[in-house]
Amino acid sequence: MKISFIINGSTKSVEVSDGNAPLLWSIRDGLDLKGTKFGCGKAACGACTIHVDDMAVRSCSYPVKMAEGKKITTIEGLSQEGNLHPVQQAWKEEVVPQCGYCQPGFMMATAAMLKEIPNPTDQDIDDNIINVCRCATYYRMRKAIHRAAAINSKNL
Amino acid sequence: MASDLTKNKGLKRRKFLKYTGVGVGLMIGGVWLGRNPIRRKIFELAETMIAPYQGDVSDPLIWIQVTPENQIILHSSKVEMGQGSFTGLAQLAAEELEVDVEKIKVVHAETASGNIDGMGTGGSMSVATLWKPLREMAATMRLMLAKKAAEKLEVSIDDLAFANGVFSAKNRGITYGEIVDGVTDWEIPETPVLKKRSRFKHIGKPIVRVDLYDKVIGAPIFGIDASYSDMLFASVVRSRLVDATMSNYDTSVAENMPGVIKIVKEDDFISVIAKTQVEADNARHKITFDYTTNRSWNIADVEKEITVGNGRKTIIQKEGKSIEEIDEDGDIISLEFRSPIGAHAQMEPNGAVANYKDGKVEIKISTQVPKVTRDEVASALGLSKEDVNIVPTFLGGGFGRRLHTPNAIQAAKMSKAVGKPVKSFFDRKQEFQNDTFRPPTHHVMKAKISKDKKILGIEHQFASGDTLFNSALDPGVEQMMRADIGSIRGGAIIYDLLPHRTTYYHVDLPFATSFWRSLGLLANAFAIESFMDEIAINTNQDPIQLRLNSISNDNPYGERARKVIQACADKAKYTDQISNGKAMGFASTVDGGSPCAHVVEVSIEDDEIKVHKVTVAFDCGIAVNPDQVRAQIEGCVCMGISASMFEKMDLRDNKLYPINYGAYKMALMRHTPREIDIVLLEGADYPGPVGEPPMGPIGAAIGNAVRRLTGKRLTTLPLSLG
Ligand code: FES
Ligand code: FES
């Protein structure tokens, strides 16, 4: 079956034999956008986080057929016209990544949270950023999240 | 690019020269007039106590490539798994090449390039072991460039000036790229004298990671992102049970599933190859088979095995009598500690992408051991080593989980069987079930205290599963070392002014255990440093003073360890008084020659231990990149909190649990201390290990704080008030 959606601003279609297959694999292998990561396949780690209609979604547990006609953003589409998104900018300034594998998922989760909560408290961060980073870069991530909020408010 | 180096290797010399700059030296033997390698090793061992680098550091041309476009490419035999060594190594090279770090692109050396590291990446040894060799190669390379520059400018080398990456004389300048352009023949001169520390421009600076941008934009740099055109996907059947064999496979349903290309049946595994990952996994789930177990295993059986007194005994330290033999009057205090089976849970699962063609195979893989992978793939497929090329990628976490080679061997066999490139990865369940776990441990700590509170002796006995012999090390290591030095890490008592003894029992287990970041250190330090706190309480001493008074200057790291202990206590304003419901806990370790101390501030909220602040003092010698040393400390602290407070595997009816994140409890953002205060001491003029030593003190420090808060001594990891 053929599924069509708008991903990072362009309309794309993928061909799948099983509409219940995770959207993640269509993004990674079907469209060759490798920034969205596989971590667990059970919505338990957040490595595969993307935005579907501006909401953070764990794409490993999102049936591809549900993406029909939706607007999808992946880490590759987070930056606009070559400019890093404020979250990426903050991540860079705080030198957050170690191995880097979990980072796209965290940045996508953070970008979605900041739309809802532009100036999160530490408690908001604890409650909303629940992805897994095995390198345990949480300490710098927290700083980067606050910095991203500050960059955003300056831009306004 | 490494691929240029290797792909061109078989080409005729003229053609080869057209495509690469300095890399051509790879084909042309140079004359190395530098220090005798055997003497170098002995010298370095004596100087730093760090095992020397095991690979070719005599030929700068296999490490450093300058292109005619004036790009410098550092081919690293050490892999980047997050620890930041690409950046540290670039700093070492930049220092002697006299270029900015940003000018250097670091890539993984393919094994076919000839730049092969026998040891692999681990043990926090990358920057430490290459500290001198890489600077020597860079300095030699720069001298080679200078000589060629002088030739091209037709001046004597002494007349050359150098600024901003350009050699100049007689108002003419020449860049590195222009120097290498057209050069086919290099003579490797004697190693120049290296720069003094006082003249360092790049070493010691908090340069941003060289891989930062790629990791912020989500670039496809990991093994799981690798591909070949026309690639197929595999899903391999794995045993769910420990100590069991599988038989009577029925693949009839799987064969007819959508997308399935082939069922591969090898002697040692069965797999499905399909057009997509989802199709391969779906079909694999339809393969049925029978299990035969040798015996039943539950976690209690494992704990029974892992008990002091069982297994092969090795005496590690014998600086005094055993506690029972001490004649003086006194009380014996004794505590037993346990640590659980720990999972690596690195975010990128293990797997490989293999392309077998015409009797040769290339494998793209996240691995800590490219050389061993090459050698084992070659022997499993009956190929020569030259016909196997391992192309290392960035690792989505290592932590000791990528020292094993079955994924590469299986991918290669499947690619051969199906005649196309094959990608084969574990799913997360398989990753947990097939982990090479941190072995569980058991510790008996004893001390004898005289009536006047003198410590008459201290003894550490411990039992652990294997860490070393099961991993992909060269055969012969076990013979050579005899004892499992991995499990022993952190097991020896550093308090040499107290009579002390340490004995280790090596126990075999029915599932794979191996390296896990810092190996034995996490568990051993938990036992020893918790017990030291107990001795301090028992003898009415300040725990800091007790430690300071127990380490002599004969101990090679004694002075540095005492400074670290004092610095940490001072910075944290350590006190054993409870204030506002918070207590402090102290612990310190020396691992790989890098002393580290932690003070944690802990409270108990809703019956849960909460870590508010961690103060760390750390002496790794020269901090080549202080920002990344800090990043490693922060990572160790948070991963250490996770391992000490949350993580454990269970074994029920031969099945290991849990099998996914979430169920395998780990520290997340909300468990991360709000403050990590770091003091770096640089007590040596060389860089020591960084990425693991700061894991040592954390578990005991938290336990010691809880002891002060509650009066209760926690003796089991993960720590629980239970
Ligand atoms: S891979 Fe989707 S949440 Fe882990
Ligand atoms: S940076 Fe390695 S898992 Fe997060």
Side-chain angles (χ1 to χ4, degrees), chain A residues 97-103 106 132-137 141, chain B residues 347 396-397:
Chain A
Q98 289 189 22
C99 85
Y101 194 83
C102 70
Q103 303 290 343
F106 272 94
V132 177
C133 172
R134 187 45 155 170
C135 301
T137 62
M141 283 180 186
Chain B
M347 296 293 299

Side-chain angles (χ1 to χ4, degrees), chain A residues 17 25 28-29 35 37 39-40 42 88 92 97-99 101 107 122 126 132 134 136 138-140 142, chain B residues 81-82 209 215-216 218 222 224-225 278-279 343-344 397 428 627 631-632 634 647 660 669 672 674 676:
Chain A
S17 58
W25 298 112
R28 282 183 57 81
D29 295 329
K37 296 300 188 228
C40 66
K42 293 274 187 250
Q88 293 171 304
K92 200 172 147 223
Q98 289 189 22
C99 85
Y101 194 83
M107 287 184 276
D122 282 328
D126 286 349
V132 177
R134 187 45 155 170
Y138 303 107
Y139 187 66
R140 289 189 184 200
R142 183 187 300 280
Chain B
M81 48 190 175
R209 296 180 64 106
K215 289 179 176 180
V216 164
F222 300 100
I224 203 170
D225 303 333
V278 174
E279 289 164 338
H344 287 87
R428 182 55 58 182
D627 180 60
Q632 286 302 299
E634 291 158 11
E647 298 178 28
N660 215 318
M669 180 72 81
T672 301
R674 289 290 161 82
I676 301 177

